Amino acid sequence: MPRRRRGGRVSALEGGREEEAPPAAGAVPSAQWASGRQPEAAAELILLRGIFEIGRDSCDVVLSERALRWQPIRPERLTGDSKYDFLHKEEFVELKDIFSVKLKRRYSIKQQGSGTLLGITLFICLKTEKNKLKDSTLDLINLSEDHCDIWFRQFKKILAGFSNRPKSLKILLNPQSHKKEATQVYYEKVEPLLKIAGIKTDVTITEYEGHALSLLKECELQGFDGVVCVGGDGSASEVAHALLLRAQKNAGLETDSILTPVGAQLPLGVIPAGSTNVLAHSLHGVSHVVTATLHIIMGHIQPVDVCTFSTIGKFLRFGFSAMFGFGGRALAVAENHRWMSPNQRMDFAIMKALAKLKPEECEISFLPFNSSQDLEERRAQGYPKSDCNNQWQMIQGQFLNVSIMAIPCQCSVAPRGLAPNTRLNNGSMALITARNTSRPEFIKHLKRYASIKNQFNFPFVDTYTVEEVKVCPKSNSSGHHPEEDHGPHETASGNCFPWNVDGDLMQVASEVHVRVHPRLINLYGRSMEEMNDSKVTCSCL
């Protein structure tokens, strides 16, 4: 076996080029693999044992049912050399963290055929700080074709046993998201990792608003293991809505009035490429493209609650969150100024909505969420104000803003979330109302979202945990006249109220009924609670 002193990367070898990971995948020196809480090795069945060079050391490598372990081979030493034990302790990686394996070869310009075998490369998913995931490589160097072939086939067999990992994905890419970066994000960061993992893809670039909806209504999805959206919150919400509508149609349900919807048949992956990325941030705890991609590759599934929005006798859409009042008006202004850059547009819309701040006269009915565990959590975190029972309750008056959210709605400007006490899949929604108050006080409330202070600690703000909500604007309300913003959003009635549903503008002239449906769709990812509780098997910090 050769003894190299230039690290584990084959790229350090002289004399030719190599077949290895794209630049996105970084190698990790063996010394940086630090064992956390190790799986119990004694009870595991050993599958293979052999010698490989890892980093600069010849190592005794053991492949068991759950982990790959290695330890440098050293000459006999004096008993009780604790320093040796510390420097050369056993290291390991759990098999569930490996997402691909490839034979490593070196090619020279004059060489014909498959090149000189150098060993095996493992591609590994690692958890780093702040819930982020990163891809890494581990090189097992051995020049024996037969030896490497046995190990390679065993690794492939192990990876094939992870049946939850997708093998084929339908990709929907919105090239207009945010600063039109989605195409670059996908082809530079996402696609290389999917290719390493051996996942087949079918990419469709959407051309207009609603294109993904019309496409998913009719396209053939048999043979795909999941659907991935590359874009912002509006794109992700549209794809989720389309998948759920398709599920109702396949189940033979009438989509004009959906009382008990069926769940989406395929999981949805969300690659954040928008301006706020609320859904991805709420799901992963961070808006990070590589993290979202690796959750998809690893087949991590997170069930998520979804809301249905309907008006009198008519189903409107599926969604995760909504704002009425200030949040809806600000979005309506932003939609009429799409010629601006995304950041300028939202800043301008917020300033204009604040300048014309006025309350809506509303009647809000809600069915409280009856969960003793939820109530205890809310009291512990300082969110009282809800008399929970099984009866509908009603509040009325003038409201500056009404938020209804089934997910925490985290983003860069609200790191704790617009609804920080909300969970992804506990069957409840947060109802947050801001009654009429002065403009300075309302601005103080908005600024709190960007801080660590309690944004609900104002006398005009009330919070409730609910299962259903009905928001009914009074007929004598001024309503929202689109012509005030010089925009195209006129309706037949001439008096519609703007709603912000997952970053999309929805205009309704009458009552809106919002109902939460537990675990209606599976998203690729893991909640922050699961990520924080998971074991860190290897550390590359």
Side-chain angles (χ1 to χ4, degrees):
M1 170 179 285
R3 298 288 297 169
R4 294 185 294 110
R5 297 297 175 190
R6 304 191 182 192
R9 295 293 283 175
V10 182
S11 54
L13 295 175
E14 298 176 354
R17 61 188 177 85
E18 62 176 359
E19 181 182 54
E20 60 171 16
V28 179
S30 173
Q32 289 183 313
W33 296 88
S35 56
R37 292 177 291 173
Q38 297 196 28
E40 292 296 332
E44 293 179 31
L45 175 66
I46 293 178
L47 304 176
L48 291 173
R49 185 166 191 168
I51 296 175
F52 288 93
E53 185 177 345
I54 300 178
R56 297 185 176 186
D57 296 307
S58 290
C59 295
D60 178 18
V61 182
V62 177
L63 177 63
S64 68
E65 293 177 301
R66 292 179 54 195
L68 179 75
R69 306 170 188 279
W70 64 94
Q71 192 167 20
I73 300 172
R74 294 298 188 202
E76 291 186 7
R77 58 183 175 79
L78 295 176
T79 306
D81 191 346
S82 58
K83 183 178 179 180
Y84 177 92
D85 290 334
F86 177 76
L87 292 176
H88 302 287
K89 63 182 179 180
E90 180 184 78
E91 298 176 87
F92 77 100
V93 58
E94 289 195 55
L95 300 183
K96 65 181 180 61
D97 295 326
I98 301 172
F99 65 88
S100 186
V101 58
K102 298 188 184 300
L103 290 174
K104 198 172 208 38
R105 298 183 183 275
R106 181 181 63 196
Y107 298 89
S108 63
I109 296 175
K110 299 180 180 180
Q111 190 171 7
Q112 301 293 326
S114 58
T116 303
L117 178 70
L118 298 172
I120 297 171
T121 296
L122 301 177
F123 296 85
I124 301 164
C125 173
L126 298 175
K127 178 185 171 186
T128 64
E129 80 288 352
K130 296 181 180 178
N131 293 318
K132 285 185 178 180
L133 300 179
K134 65 175 289 186
D135 58 298
S136 182
T137 59
L138 178 68
D139 294 333
L140 308 178
I141 304 301
N142 189 304
L143 302 186
S144 168
E145 291 271 0
D146 291 339
H147 185 68
C148 287
D149 182 63
I150 293 172
W151 282 73
F152 178 75
R153 284 189 285 109
Q154 185 65 56
F155 277 122
K156 293 291 285 185
K157 181 180 178 181
I158 290 169
L159 292 179
F162 294 110
S163 58
N164 59 314
R165 297 182 181 180
K167 298 176 178 61
S168 180
L169 294 169
K170 176 66 182 176
I171 311 290
L172 297 172
L173 192 158
N174 180 4
Q176 300 301 318
S177 290
H178 192 36
K179 298 178 182 178
K180 301 183 179 181
E181 299 169 337
T183 303
Q184 181 181 359
V185 164
Y186 177 75
Y187 286 109
E188 290 186 5
K189 296 183 178 181
V190 180
E191 187 184 56
L193 284 173
L194 298 180
K195 283 185 175 180
I196 289 172
I199 298 175
K200 297 178 181 178
T201 58
D202 182 86
V203 181
T204 297
I205 298 178
T206 57
E207 300 174 359
Y208 52 87
E209 185 177 349
H211 188 189
L213 177 60
S214 60
L215 183 81
L216 288 175
K217 279 183 177 179
E218 306 297 336
C219 77
E220 180 58 60
L221 292 179
Q222 188 174 1
F224 291 110
D225 300 310
V227 176
V228 174
C229 170
V230 186
D233 289 316
S235 302
S237 181
E238 180 182 335
V239 174
H241 174 62
L243 288 173
L244 286 164
L245 274 184
R246 182 175 179 130
Q248 314 318 305
K249 180 180 178 182
N250 292 344
L253 298 181
E254 177 56 55
T255 55
D256 286 338
S257 179
I258 301 176
L259 296 178
T260 308
V262 298
Q265 294 161 332
L266 290 177
L268 170 63
V270 180
I271 303 295
S275 54
T276 54
N277 304 307
V278 164
L279 185 56
H281 205 133
S282 298
L283 182 63
H284 309 306
V286 64
S287 178
H288 187 239
V289 170
V290 172
T291 296
T293 305
L294 287 172
H295 278 303
I296 295 170
I297 290 171
M298 303 302 287
H300 297 158
I301 295 295
Q302 174 64 54
V304 177
D305 300 341
V306 181
C307 304
T308 52
F309 296 86
S310 57
T311 187
I312 300 173
K314 183 181 179 182
F315 170 77
L316 297 173
R317 60 170 294 164
F318 293 98
F320 300 96
S321 64
M323 288 187 286
F324 172 79
F326 172 78
R329 287 178 180 275
L331 181 61
V333 174
E335 286 297 307
N336 290 327
H337 294 80
R338 281 213 162 257
W339 51 270
M340 293 183 175
S341 68
N343 291 337
Q344 286 180 325
R345 184 168 68 242
M346 277 315 303
D347 290 344
F348 172 79
I350 290 172
M351 294 300 294
K352 187 169 183 180
L354 284 173
K356 293 187 175 183
L357 186 67
K358 57 183 177 180
E360 298 286 2
E361 185 74 28
C362 290
E363 180 180 284
I364 302 174
S365 303
F366 59 90
L367 182 64
F369 177 62
N370 192 7
S371 167
S372 57
Q373 180 181 357
D374 178 77
L375 286 174
E376 290 174 6
E377 288 181 2
R378 287 171 58 76
R379 291 193 186 102
Q381 297 186 30
Y383 302 106
K385 302 189 179 182
S386 179
D387 269 339
C388 283
N389 52 47
N390 290 323
Q391 301 298 318
W392 280 84
Q393 298 183 25
M394 191 262 289
I395 55 177
Q396 57 185 345
Q398 293 187 327
F399 298 92
L400 291 176
N401 192 69
V402 178
S403 298
I404 305 167
M405 299 174 173
I407 61 174
C409 292
Q410 292 179 301
C411 59
S412 58
V413 296
R416 294 178 64 242
L418 301 179
N421 200 43
T422 306
R423 298 293 178 261
L424 292 170
N425 59 0
N426 70 342
S428 72
M429 302 179 292
L431 168 63
I432 305 164
T433 62
R435 292 181 179 270
N436 192 21
T437 188
S438 66
R439 184 181 290 108
E441 284 298 300
F442 185 67
I443 291 175
K444 285 182 184 178
H445 163 60
L446 296 181
K447 285 183 176 180
R448 285 275 185 93
Y449 283 100
S451 72
I452 61 173
K453 295 181 179 179
N454 186 348
Q455 63 262 45
F456 307 128
N457 190 22
F458 292 90
F460 57 88
V461 177
D462 296 297
T463 66
Y464 309 86
T465 304
V466 301
E467 296 179 15
E468 295 185 48
V469 180
K470 295 178 182 178
V471 179
C472 181
K474 294 294 187 178
S475 58
N476 60 351
S477 171
S478 60
H480 174 68
H481 296 274
E483 59 271 17
E484 292 179 2
D485 297 322
H486 308 288
H489 305 291
E490 294 191 58
T491 63
S493 68
N495 185 16
C496 273
F497 297 88
W499 283 75
N500 180 339
V501 180
D502 298 334
D504 282 341
L505 185 64
M506 180 179 76
Q507 300 218 42
V508 188
S510 58
E511 174 186 284
V512 172
H513 184 183
V514 187
R515 181 187 288 113
V516 67
H517 303 274
R519 300 169 174 254
L520 200 60
I521 192 169
N522 286 327
L523 300 185
Y524 283 114
R526 280 185 175 169
S527 66
M528 288 177 286
E529 292 86 357
E530 285 185 301
M531 287 286 287
N532 290 331
D533 290 341
S534 65
K535 296 178 181 179
V536 182
T537 57
C538 298
S539 175
C540 298
L541 304 180

